[in-house]
């Protein structure tokens, strides 16, 4: 149930980025960030979470998380990470994730897989308590490595033994749509990845958009609405808000920036410098993009 | 923000070109990437449905090549993007690339993965930080799981490989760190060992590397099928830290892409990405 | 096939107009349908999310009326069609009507139902072939289940009513066959009886009929709230085959739609569908 | 795996209606017909099944089936029916279904609900063995009435008891898209109801369309493809093929015909006359539409 707006008028959900993330409590139970690999990741919202030091119990790194997982883990804002995939695909491995785990970290790592995570999310969306898994995982190391995530269950119809995961209902989802109206009807102009399902499942959805369109525009072709407004708590317009990730049909990922990030973040000091320069340093997105564009990495170890 | 920078981002950029040398950009010759893609194509059958995940260059190129030659009824799904039968306009290095949406359909990723888990895939492509002699693959951790020497990205979709009729492994790195006797973490289960009595699962069918094409014996042991042009069986052995089963007789050379195949690949590999895959 | 017939099909036809008399088409007055829709509107709160199923005229009209008056932030999902916040351009008799796609989003039906089962609904609308004094509803079979005297359509979405914060029952038939002491089949579970110790489920909150508005006592017994203009409490009792709890004091008259409400309803009820709902 | 076409050319899946339904064996395990209520129901394919006397073990009448269920049950071509909803919404109850059940029938009736059926279908699509249900059904008559359809299961994570249904994977699905290319890439121009999920889950999908479009047209806007070709066995173009049901954006349902059907089918003889006149009688869809249009119901009791 959402309300808003002056008496008699439908309330706009458009908020500034600081105000939107400011709605989150200091500590939320869980977080799932939309997009996949280096695509459609709402990075401006992620950076603002770090600026405001919002903490999360469980971070779902799936189906594939790149810079969002890196920054949140590096900033020590997450207590445990359910790992489907954390990396930069063809660009390489995730340096902060690597260093934390290889040197030992108090962040709890739950080794999982994106298929099971998405079945859990689907179950969470539909109110099912858990999701039985298809056969196939039994011979991998996953069930024995993560016995709390994967549990045995017997099929009540056949008696066959199998595995199951608990329903996943993230308390917070950050998603990126290319366009939305002020009420939160969001449009994916390219792939929707798993973000439609995520937006239907999560308790609270914060939506970053490249730009606003009118509600009239939404009404003209409702078949392309990928996220219905009823699921959205806030709409945050941010130009180039996915940078250095892509926003389908708007811009590609910035491989230069990403590679330089990966090089910098291979040391604790370099990561700290990167965060200072590109995350906590810039007072707003405009200043962030100015720094990106200057490409002055000399201050970073 | 300057208009120039905006334009650069809008136009997109090829992340591999960034580190390409002039030499690597040379396109005239047949590179290892072309041989690998052609080997993929030759392994595919008309009418099959393929699921392709991260780091998709080789399987995407091979599948499209198959469509353009002997397998017009083949369906390929470009992993993250959800693009079904992308034209590769052009071939792009990330599985989630917008370029993959020049396609016949775009499915939400969770449906792609669920369809695959539901058994709709004939062929699945996978790889690993480690691949062992029984075809097990590891994308999670090298060394002890709780304090690894190498933390990989995680298992991605490959634990579900057995849901496809057959799995083809591919890697752009054929060396002793990748080809190990036994993986430290099983992300994808290979052929059952002698001790796994009663397990009827089949392991991967084929392995395509920058050096060679390999398959598995009836006992589930990795076997050399052919070496790529310019590669000796000894070079493959030197870069594999377990003993490979060998074919009977002389080791053949992997089929070179034909002129027609090269022409096809150049129509979609506009950035010459297949030319810069080199053995590591 | 003649062009005329094609044109007729293409244009669509209003299935209710087919059996409408001239008298029924008279639109100037306030009909029972308007009173019921207004009663729905008054029962809704701003910001709520509504799931509306089959036979949707009354809840659709009421929800839209609420949006246009006191509840601009209300969300309604038009059942089968998947239309979210349809403008009712125009109000149409079937929940799956294409008219419901003049809307803000169109969701696949399985997602609509799953979202509802997932607890995303504040208000659910339901009805029944039988409705009993504890608010149980029956859409399956009247009489014995294996050899019923009346085979209904089946339980549709109403078994999941308890997934919504509150359920509003509505029916266009207020008679003794519908309002029975105890349903023969529980498609939707009403208020727990004294014997169901420990059950904390709440039953439906409100019942809106062509004769009256009813709710439930704290003990879960159906209670008359108000009678529509021109209807006496006795008429309600005569058409209900169990004893209703009564309000203290005189039974009030259900609020008549205001001029503004009637104007709003006429903007979307272009075919006068609300005018032809008569008590049966 | 589908093949077809001459060597070197991609095979078309376009078939005539007789040929397409002729591909079905005399008896299939199960059938799910797409559309909902009186909308997007592939009636021409259903009528052809009756003409060719194709039999089906289980018919899934959900989320809501109207004339398709009536004709298949009335023709005694189904052995058991899983009932989510069978009726004509505001037009009234289903006369054949009523008469069969009220007089006693050897068709097995499994009392179910659309929500559980769709969760079963979703599980079937994803290869899950069964689908746990959200809490809520326990106090209804459904679990005790259909103990074979609803089974108790205990949540392996919490130990809580609940209900579950088995995965549903129809062996045959008939669906209607407004448009498709010759390979089976189908577009829903209006609601997709549950047909996208159905097409992903079923073993074999037969698609009826209003008309064919080119593959180039599909490639121009792939985001609107609702059924990917890989899931489709045959594409059958039939003008007004949903009649007397609607085809979204093409034509509405024919309430005149449906009401006359409901009146006729209220007796065995009337139903037999209807079938003879409108199902088995017409040699093709053109003749069917001629008979519809003549509106001569005098031969029907």
């Amino acid at each position: 149930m959402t309300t808003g707006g002056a008496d008699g008028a439908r309330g706009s959900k458009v908020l500034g980025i600081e105000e939107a993330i400011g709605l989150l409590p200091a500590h939320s139970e869980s977080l799932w960030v939309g997009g996949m690999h280096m695509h459609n990741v709402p990075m401006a919202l992620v950076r603002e979470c770090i600026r405001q030091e919002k903490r999360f119990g469980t971070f779902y790194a799936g189906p594939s998380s790149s810079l969002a997982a890196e920054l949140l883990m590096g900033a020590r804002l997450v207590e445990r990470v359910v790992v489907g995939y954390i990396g930069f695909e063809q660009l390489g491995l995730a340096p902060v994730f690597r260093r934390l785990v290889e040197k030992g970290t108090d962040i709890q790592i739950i080794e999982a897989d994106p298929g099971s995570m998405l079945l859990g999310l689907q179950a969470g969306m539909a109110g099912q308590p858990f999701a039985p898994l298809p056969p196939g995982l039994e011979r991998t190391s996953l069930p024995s490595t993560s016995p709390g995530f994967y549990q045995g269950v017997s099929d009540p119809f056949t008696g066959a033994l199998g595995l199951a995961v608990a329903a996943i209902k993230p308390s917070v989802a950050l998603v990126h749509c290319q366009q939305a109206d002020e009420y939160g009807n969001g449009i994916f102009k390219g792939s929707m990845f798993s973000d439609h399902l995520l937006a239907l499942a999560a308790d609270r959805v914060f939506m970053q958009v490249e730009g606003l369109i009118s509600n009239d525009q939404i009404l003209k072709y409702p078949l392309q609405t990928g996220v219905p407004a009823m699921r959205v708590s806030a709409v945050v317009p941010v130009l180039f808000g996915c940078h250095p990730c892509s926003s389908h049909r708007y811009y590609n990922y910035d491989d230069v920036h990403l590679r330089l990030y990966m090089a910098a973040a291979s040391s604790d000091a370099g990561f700290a410098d990167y965060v200072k320069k590109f995350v906590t340093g810039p007072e707003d997105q405009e200043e962030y993009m100015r720094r990106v564009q200057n490409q002055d990495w000399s201050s970073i170890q | 923000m300057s208009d120039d920078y905006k334009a650069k981002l809008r136009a997109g950029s090829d992340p591999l070109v960034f580190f390409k040398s002039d030499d690597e950009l040379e396109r005239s010759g047949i590179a290892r990437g072309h041989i690998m893609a052609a080997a993929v194509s030759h392994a595919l059958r008309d009418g099959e449905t393929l699921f392709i995940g991260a780091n998709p260059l080789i399987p995407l190129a091979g599948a499209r090549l198959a469509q353009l030659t002997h397998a017009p009824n083949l369906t390929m799904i470009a992993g993250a993007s959800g693009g079904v039968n992308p034209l590769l306009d052009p071939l792009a290095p990330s599985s989630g690339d917008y370029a993959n949406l020049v396609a016949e359909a775009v499915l939400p990723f969770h449906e792609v993965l669920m369809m695959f888990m539901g058994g709709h895939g004939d062929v699945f492509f996978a790889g690993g930080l480690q691949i062992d002699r029984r075809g097990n693959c590891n994308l999670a951790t090298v060394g002890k799981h709780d304090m690894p020497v190498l933390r990989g990205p995680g298992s991605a979709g490959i634990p579900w490989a057995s849901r496809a009729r057959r799995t083809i492994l591919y890697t752009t790195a054929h060396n002793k760190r990748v080809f190990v006797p036994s993986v430290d973490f099983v992300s994808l289960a290979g052929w059952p060992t002698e001790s796994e009595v009663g397990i009827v699962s089949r392991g991967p069918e084929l392995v395509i590397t920058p050096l060679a094409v390999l398959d598995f014996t009836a006992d589930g042991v990795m076997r050399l099928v052919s070496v790529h042009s310019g590669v000796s069986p000894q070079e493959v052995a030197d870069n594999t830290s377990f003993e490979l089963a060998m074919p009977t007789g002389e080791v053949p050379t992997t089929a070179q892409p034909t002129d027609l195949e090269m022409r096809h690949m150049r129509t979609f590999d506009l950035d010459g990405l297949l030319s810069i895959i080199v053995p590591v």
Side-chain angles (χ1 to χ4, degrees), chain A, chain B:
Chain A
M1 176 164 159
T2 55
T3 55
D7 213 34
R10 188 172 176 188
S12 166
K13 292 174 188 164
V14 176
L15 291 177
I17 189 164
E18 210 177 319
E19 203 181 355
I21 296 302
L23 294 176
L24 286 178
H27 184 282
S28 301
E29 200 179 313
S30 58
L31 171 69
W32 191 312
V33 176
M36 195 167 168
H37 293 308
M38 300 82 74
H39 305 283
N40 275 28
V41 188
M43 285 309 303
L45 295 183
V46 171
R47 283 188 290 267
E48 185 64 26
C49 285
I50 292 165
R51 268 183 226 115
Q52 296 192 23
E53 294 185 27
K54 298 297 184 187
R55 291 173 190 282
F56 303 91
T58 301
F59 176 67
Y60 294 100
S64 165
S65 190
S66 57
L67 191 56
E70 285 277 284
L71 295 183
L72 288 162
M73 292 176 79
R76 302 295 199 285
L77 292 174
V78 296
E79 290 162 19
R80 76 193 67 79
V81 178
V82 178
V83 179
Y85 184 101
I86 300 176
F88 292 85
E89 209 182 354
Q90 83 283 2
L91 301 179
L93 300 175
V96 168
F97 179 42
R98 276 196 64 178
R99 198 168 57 257
L100 283 174
V101 175
E102 292 168 16
K103 296 201 173 160
T105 172
D106 53 3
I107 298 176
Q108 186 192 355
I109 304 294
I110 298 171
E111 198 76 47
D113 75 281
S116 300
M117 290 170 72
L118 290 171
L119 287 179
L121 192 63
Q122 166 74 36
M125 185 274 264
Q128 299 170 283
F130 65 96
L133 302 182
L137 277 202
E138 296 75 12
R139 293 181 61 241
T140 72
S141 304
L142 288 168
S144 58
T145 304
S146 304
F149 188 77
Y150 302 98
Q151 281 274 322
V153 69
S154 117
D155 180 337
F157 295 90
T158 65
L161 290 176
L163 292 166
V165 297
I168 296 175
K169 223 171 147 31
S171 51
V172 179
L174 309 180
V175 302
H176 175 78
C177 282
Q178 278 71 29
Q179 303 174 335
D181 70 8
E182 61 177 319
Y183 310 123
N185 290 298
I187 295 175
F188 299 104
K189 301 301 280 186
S191 297
M192 57 168 69
F193 301 101
S194 308
D195 296 352
H196 170 75
L197 176 61
L198 174 60
L200 296 192
D203 286 337
R204 297 176 84 183
V205 177
F206 292 77
M207 180 188 285
Q208 173 189 292
V209 297
E210 296 296 332
L212 293 173
I213 59 174
S214 70
N215 182 253
D216 280 353
Q217 184 78 3
I218 290 284
L219 287 164
K220 269 181 191 144
Y221 188 33
L223 297 186
Q224 76 174 335
T225 305
V227 177
M230 58 179 282
R231 301 296 308 133
V232 177
S233 296
V235 179
V236 185
V238 195
L239 203 62
F240 288 100
C242 291
H243 184 277
C245 296
S246 83
S247 173
H248 266 192
R249 201 155 138 188
Y250 275 66
Y251 46 89
N252 207 341
Y253 53 99
D254 184 345
D255 57 295
V256 178
H257 186 96
L258 285 170
R259 285 184 191 271
L260 290 170
Y261 162 79
M262 290 163 69
S266 64
S267 75
D268 280 331
F271 178 75
D273 285 348
Y274 177 88
V275 168
K276 208 162 128 187
K277 174 145 186 171
F278 290 111
V279 182
T280 54
E283 63 188 13
D284 57 20
Q285 173 76 2
E286 273 298 299
E287 171 62 15
Y288 167 80
M289 286 307 293
R290 235 182 327 265
R291 293 187 182 197
V292 164
Q293 171 189 348
N294 288 340
Q295 292 225 27
D296 175 13
W297 290 68
S298 58
S299 65
I300 294 182
Q301 303 207 357
Chain B
M1 182 170 9
S2 77
D3 286 345
D4 271 6
Y5 202 84
K6 282 185 194 171
K8 174 194 174 300
L9 290 177
R10 286 223 167 87
S13 58
D14 170 5
L16 288 181
V17 168
F18 184 68
F19 286 120
K20 267 185 213 167
S21 68
D22 286 354
D23 191 44
E24 285 164 345
L25 276 171
E26 214 280 275
R27 296 191 196 175
S28 60
I30 295 174
R32 294 288 164 86
H34 299 114
I35 297 173
M36 293 174 72
V40 165
S41 170
H42 302 156
L44 300 175
R45 300 166 201 148
D46 196 20
E48 287 186 319
T49 295
L50 280 50
F51 284 80
I52 297 171
N55 291 312
L57 282 181
I58 296 297
L60 280 181
R64 182 71 187 134
L65 182 58
Q67 285 182 330
L68 293 169
T69 54
H70 67 95
N73 299 290
L74 182 147
T75 300
M76 60 166 152
I77 304 187
S81 72
V84 181
N85 285 338
L87 300 186
L88 308 189
D89 187 14
L91 179 64
S94 167
S95 60
D97 208 284
Y98 184 67
N100 290 331
L101 305 198
V102 182
E104 292 185 343
V106 181
L107 297 170
F109 179 73
H110 69 277
E111 291 187 358
V112 170
L113 197 43
M114 287 178 192
M115 281 172 75
F116 175 64
M117 295 162 88
H120 290 319
D122 293 303
V123 186
F124 180 63
F125 290 91
L129 296 171
Q130 293 182 320
I131 301 172
D132 73 18
R133 64 192 284 272
R134 304 205 75 87
N136 295 294
C137 296
N138 173 12
L139 275 176
T141 44
V142 174
K144 286 174 59 182
H145 184 262
D146 54 356
M147 186 74 82
V149 296
L150 175 61
R151 173 65 239 195
S155 296
I158 76 171
W160 299 102
S162 65
R163 302 296 292 165
R165 272 171 244 257
R166 52 204 196 100
T167 294
I168 297 178
L169 303 183
Y170 68 105
T171 175
T172 53
H174 194 145
N175 60 48
K176 286 189 164 178
R177 288 189 311 281
V178 172
F179 285 86
V180 295
S182 182
V183 297
D184 297 330
F185 185 100
V186 180
S187 294
L188 178 157
W191 293 83
T193 60
E194 296 75 5
S195 64
E196 294 179 274
V197 182
I199 299 284
V200 293
S201 295
R202 293 162 48 84
E205 196 173 292
L206 217 58
V207 188
I208 296 172
T209 85
L211 301 182
V213 175
L214 307 101
D215 67 0
F216 292 85
T217 66
D219 294 340
V221 171
M222 198 184 291
R223 171 173 59 189
L224 189 59
V225 171
S226 64
V227 289
H228 301 340
S229 173
V231 178
S232 68
Q234 189 57 44
E235 188 180 345
V236 176
D238 289 347
N239 285 283
T240 306
S241 64
F242 56 86
E243 199 174 338
L244 291 166
M246 295 299 284
T248 50
E250 208 177 333
V251 179
T253 300
T254 311
Q256 286 285 92
T258 64
D259 286 352
L260 179 66
E261 286 176 326
M262 286 302 291
R263 272 207 303 282
H264 280 310
M265 286 191 267
R266 286 191 185 115
T267 62
F268 57 72
D269 183 17
L270 301 181
D271 296 317
L273 303 180
L274 294 172
S275 302
I276 58 168
I277 293 168
V278 289
V280 286

